[in-house]
């Protein structure tokens, strides 16, 4: 049910820099995402798309280019000059309060982001701006403007900021696709590592469909892109770019023993990001389907329901968790009332819409693939008998 453990672990480092917000934040790759990850199918992400060589166009520049430049160098320059005006540096300020010493300690952090529209919306990682009291965005022009968070999702580490900046500063990045990527194709990382603005590094797509542990316990980030293009603290929230200068992912973490680039970087796929942006801007959060299942236990028979939310979708569907049984007995003139837990009457979820459920994470993934109001058909083992239970999802 859970990922296997390996004898060697790397440190998974979030890529924001700072004294209070970053510094760098780290988390061991354990049950959430074991290393090295194994046996990951790539055909589901890439399909049958064939790639053609990109057309090399000499970049526009105010100074003449050396005649000896190679096509690869021209391509790198073209990508940089196309995408760099859309990439911003994000500086944050935070005050940490120590209640014991009755003191406040100021801190600072730094990350990257991308302009996504002419309304001043900026895309970045949530961990770049989490807890920040002040956010300042600096554009390629070196002009800076205050920003505010208008939406975020901690589970997928995505945040949307908004700045009130002149239209000339707002150059939206061109969005590409992440469902047709191929291992081996060129990839570029653009951002502000260590606060060094406008930094470009090059590499390839090293792998697809990686899984990383989410910032929300028990959840995971799937279909993550792996690249060997160098990422360092401060690259968080910046774009991963293809050879046409289009955004194909957002840089989020590295696997490293030192907290700095070891040639293993990870990015959130752009297809997931573009699906989430409208909700984040409109609602400030992602509206997810609510199943009403509070706790389960993974067993050989299936997912054993421990608790469902009273009045929630699972409860309304008649799904049964552990039951509290009250019993009364009389001894002389005294009546004793006791409570015991009946675990034997709990349901086991074995499949959703005919697809086997492999574990709790798989259950959540299958449910999250649906929208609030949709009805799923659960295959449930109840008292040794397999029954079908329709579950209509709520919203949360």
């Amino acid at each position: 049910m859970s990922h296997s453990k390996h004898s060697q672990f790397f440190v998974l480092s979030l890529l924001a820099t700072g004294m209070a917000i970053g510094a760098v934040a780290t988390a061991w790759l354990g049950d959430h995402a074991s290393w090295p990850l194994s046996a990951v199918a790539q055909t589901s992400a890439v399909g049958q798309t064939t790639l053609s060589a990109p057309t090399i166009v000499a970049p526009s520049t105010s100074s003449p280019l050396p005649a000896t430049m190679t096509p690869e160098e021209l391509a790198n320059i073209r990508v940089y000059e196309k995408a760099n005006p859309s990439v911003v540096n994000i500086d944050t300020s935070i005050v940490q309060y120590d209640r014991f010493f009755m003191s406040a300690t100021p801190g600072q952090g730094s990350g990257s982001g991308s302009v996504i529209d002419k309304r001043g919306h900026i895309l970045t990682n949530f961990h770049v701006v989490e807890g920040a009291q002040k956010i300042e965005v600096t554009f390629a022009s070196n002009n800076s403007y205050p920003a505010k968070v208008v939406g975020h999702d901690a589970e997928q580490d995505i945040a949307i900021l908004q700045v009130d900046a002149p239209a000339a500063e707002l150059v939206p990045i061109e969005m590409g696709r992440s469902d047709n990527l191929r291992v081996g194709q060129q990839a570029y990382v653009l951002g502000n590592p260590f606060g060094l603005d406008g930094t470009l590094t090059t590499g390839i797509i090293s792998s697809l469909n990686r899984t990383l542990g989410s910032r929300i316990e028990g959840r995971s980030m799937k279909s993550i892109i792996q690249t060997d293009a160098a990422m360092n603290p401060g690259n968080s929230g910046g774009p991963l770019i293809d050879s046409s200068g289009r955004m194909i992912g957002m840089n989020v973490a590295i696997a490293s023993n030192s907290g700095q680039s070891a040639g293993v970087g990870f990015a959130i796929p752009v297809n997931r990001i573009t699906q989430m942006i409208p909700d984040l801007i409109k609602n400030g959060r992602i509206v997810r389907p609510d199943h009403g299942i509070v706790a389960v236990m993974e067993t050989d028979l299936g997912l054993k329901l421990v608790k469902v939310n009273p009045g929630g979708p699972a409860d309304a569907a008649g799904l049964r968790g552990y039951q509290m049984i009250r019993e009364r007995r009389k001894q002389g003139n005294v009546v004793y009332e006791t409570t015991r837990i009946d675990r034997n009457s709990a349901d086991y979820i074995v499949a959703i819409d005919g697809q086997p459920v492999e574990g709790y994470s798989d259950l959540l993934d299958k449910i999250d693939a649906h929208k609030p109001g949709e009805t799923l058909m659960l295959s449930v083992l109840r008292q040794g008998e397999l029954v079908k239970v329709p579950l209509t999802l709520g919203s949360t």
Side-chain angles (χ1 to χ4, degrees):
M1 293 290 185
S2 61
H3 294 290
S4 61
K5 297 182 179 179
H6 298 266
S7 58
Q8 182 179 10
F9 292 99
F10 285 77
V11 177
L12 182 65
S13 302
L14 301 178
L15 297 173
T17 65
M19 296 164 54
I21 298 179
V24 179
T26 60
W28 284 103
L29 283 170
D31 289 334
H32 295 298
S34 56
W35 186 263
L37 302 168
S38 60
V40 182
Q42 297 171 6
T43 55
S44 60
V46 302
Q48 301 300 321
T49 304
T50 57
L51 300 179
S52 58
T55 303
I56 303 300
V57 179
S60 58
T61 179
S62 57
S63 57
L65 297 173
T68 56
M69 275 195 176
T70 66
E72 182 180 3
E73 288 173 319
L74 290 173
N76 294 343
I77 295 170
R78 175 177 55 83
V79 167
Y80 180 80
E81 293 192 348
K82 177 180 179 179
N84 190 57
S86 304
V87 181
V88 300
N89 182 47
I90 300 172
D91 292 309
T92 58
S93 299
I94 187 172
V95 177
Q96 291 184 324
Y97 295 95
D98 190 319
R99 295 183 179 180
F100 182 80
F101 290 103
M102 300 295 290
S103 62
T105 303
Q108 297 169 338
S110 178
S112 304
S114 302
V115 179
I116 57 174
D117 60 31
K118 282 289 189 178
R119 293 180 292 166
H121 290 117
I122 308 293
L123 171 70
T124 189
N125 289 139
F126 177 55
H127 76 257
V128 170
V129 295
E130 184 178 9
Q133 274 85 38
K134 181 180 178 182
I135 305 171
E136 188 172 75
V137 171
T138 302
F139 290 81
S141 64
N142 286 325
N143 294 324
S144 299
Y145 304 89
K148 63 180 180 179
V149 178
V150 298
H152 75 272
D153 185 73
E155 181 177 317
Q156 296 299 321
D157 205 356
I158 294 174
I160 303 293
L161 315 181
Q162 189 166 27
V163 296
D164 184 9
E169 299 275 23
L170 301 171
V171 182
I173 196 163
E174 183 179 352
M175 296 292 187
R177 294 171 53 186
S178 54
D179 60 338
N180 62 350
L181 299 178
R182 302 292 293 266
V183 172
Q185 77 177 77
Q186 195 76 16
Y188 302 83
V189 166
L190 189 52
N192 305 281
F194 305 108
L196 301 173
D197 60 311
T199 298
L200 179 75
T201 57
T202 66
I204 62 170
I205 301 296
S206 304
S207 189
L208 298 167
N209 293 331
R210 293 303 196 197
T211 298
L212 301 181
S214 170
R215 296 167 63 78
I216 302 300
E217 186 176 356
R219 304 309 303 265
S220 60
M221 301 168 64
K222 298 184 183 296
S223 301
I224 296 294
I225 304 164
Q226 181 184 327
T227 180
D228 68 350
M231 296 183 193
N232 282 292
N235 273 123
S236 257
L240 182 69
I241 303 170
D242 66 12
S243 57
S244 295
R246 299 170 301 193
M247 181 177 180
I248 54 176
M250 178 168 62
N251 308 321
V252 65
I254 55 176
S256 170
N257 286 321
S258 64
Q260 298 178 14
S261 178
V264 183
F266 303 101
I268 303 167
V270 74
N271 282 23
R272 179 180 306 151
I273 293 169
T274 54
Q275 289 176 350
M276 298 176 70
I277 286 174
D279 271 354
L280 292 176
I281 292 176
K282 180 181 178 181
N283 304 314
R285 64 185 182 90
I286 299 301
V287 178
R288 289 189 166 87
D290 178 25
H291 45 75
I293 298 171
V294 178
V296 299
M297 179 183 296
E298 295 182 351
T299 74
D300 292 337
L301 294 176
L303 285 181
K304 187 176 185 178
L305 288 181
V306 176
K307 184 179 180 181
V308 299
N309 187 27
D315 187 32
L319 291 173
R320 306 170 185 173
Y322 290 178
Q323 303 296 309
M324 302 293 292
I325 307 296
R326 290 184 177 181
E327 298 176 332
R328 302 179 66 183
R329 63 184 179 87
K330 187 176 181 181
Q331 185 173 349
N333 294 326
V334 179
V335 176
Y336 295 93
E337 186 173 276
T338 60
T339 301
R340 65 180 178 87
I341 299 176
D342 178 15
R343 297 176 173 84
N344 296 324
S345 60
D347 289 334
Y348 294 81
I349 299 176
V350 297
I352 295 179
D353 291 334
Q355 299 297 315
V357 174
E358 302 296 336
Y360 184 56
S361 178
D362 187 41
L363 171 74
L364 297 179
D365 288 341
K366 284 180 166 59
I367 291 176
D368 282 348
H370 294 79
K371 297 179 180 179
E374 293 184 354
T375 299
L376 314 178
M377 186 59 69
L378 274 57
S379 299
V380 173
L381 188 63
R382 176 176 293 168
Q383 299 291 295
E385 181 182 356
L386 191 64
V387 297
K388 301 290 186 180
V389 178
L391 173 66
T392 300
L393 300 172
S395 63
T396 184

